Amino acid sequence: MTVFVIAMDSEAEPLIDNMTETARSRAYGKTVVTGKLCGEKCAAVICGVGKVNAAAGTQYAIDTLKADKIVNVGVAGGLNGGVEVAHIYGISHAVQYDFDLVQLNHTAIGTLDEFTDNYLPLCTRGLYPLKKLGTGDRFNDSVADYKLLTEVLGADIRDMEGGAMAQVCAHAGIPFYSFKAISDVAGSGSTTEQFKNNLNACAVRLNGEIKNIFAAVNKYE
């Protein structure tokens, strides 16, 4: 079964609006919605914001809901002129930019202790332009973070969950897909104000694309 793992209620609404026969429950402090999409069984775990929540929600989806693939949809911040507000992008690779074992392991910033590369690959389906994602437990306008993400890591988009989901799925051997609608772009004013102003436009775009995303990730089954 395909299970969506999504951080916030507002990000999950476009999915749930497209689902039928839905039922809600709570597990480990997280909302779980089961139902059907395009006539097929699916589920959503609304995990909460941040990497720990994302990892816990993903593991629950795998262990308890028996997910055979994980899909993350939601909003994210753009880091360069190659992305546009309210446009959707597929994620090809994800890195946790706030993970730092450089001094101990002499590896590149973001390289997890159990991996040799800092970017983990995701599954893709060619629906949207592909971008690289930087994940960290920070929502800010930090110049230092921006320089790290763009000049050192070459990331195009930033969020607070995707890299952690990718790590869990890599260990579990579960396909992981992520699709992000851009809520704000660095250098275009306050990240917070952009996020608030553009959230609805992102939701509308995701609402119209959810069935296409679901069909694409299940295409070869």
Side-chain angles (χ1 to χ4, degrees), residues 130-190:
L130 295 177
K131 302 295 179 180
K132 289 185 175 181
L133 176 73
T135 295
D137 278 328
R138 296 196 281 269
F139 184 100
N140 59 31
D141 289 309
S142 165
V143 174
D145 280 358
Y146 174 75
K147 288 183 176 180
L148 171 61
L149 284 158
T150 58
E151 296 178 10
V152 177
L153 293 169
D156 304 294
I157 297 171
R158 66 183 292 183
D159 79 344
M160 298 179 67
E161 294 85 25
M165 295 178 189
Q167 182 180 2
V168 172
C169 289
H171 283 301
I174 297 291
F176 175 54
Y177 302 84
S178 183
F179 304 93
K180 297 292 190 179
I182 301 302
S183 59
D184 53 90
V185 177
S188 299
S190 165

Side-chain angles (χ1 to χ4, degrees), residues 6 9 22 47 49 60 63 72 77 80 85-86 88 100 106-108 114 122 128 144 153 163 169 174 181 202 219:
I6 302 171
D9 288 321
T22 57
C47 64
V49 174
Y60 176 84
D63 290 342
N72 167 244
N80 55 49
V85 167
I88 298 175
D100 186 350
H106 307 292
T107 49
E114 65 271 32
L122 276 65
Y128 312 102
L153 293 169
C169 289
I174 297 291
C202 291
K219 183 175 181 180

Side-chain angles (χ1 to χ4, degrees), residues 77-137:
L79 295 169
N80 55 49
V83 297
E84 297 181 54
V85 167
H87 285 227
I88 298 175
Y89 299 89
I91 302 302
S92 63
H93 297 78
V95 62
Q96 296 177 47
Y97 70 89
D98 59 353
F99 190 93
D100 186 350
L101 283 180
V102 174
Q103 183 172 310
L104 179 64
N105 287 351
H106 307 292
T107 49
I109 187 76
T111 305
L112 304 168
D113 193 42
E114 65 271 32
F115 292 94
T116 55
D117 295 320
N118 55 2
Y119 270 102
L120 299 182
L122 276 65
C123 296
T124 60
R125 276 293 186 259
L127 278 180
Y128 312 102
L130 295 177
K131 302 295 179 180
K132 289 185 175 181
L133 176 73
T135 295
D137 278 328

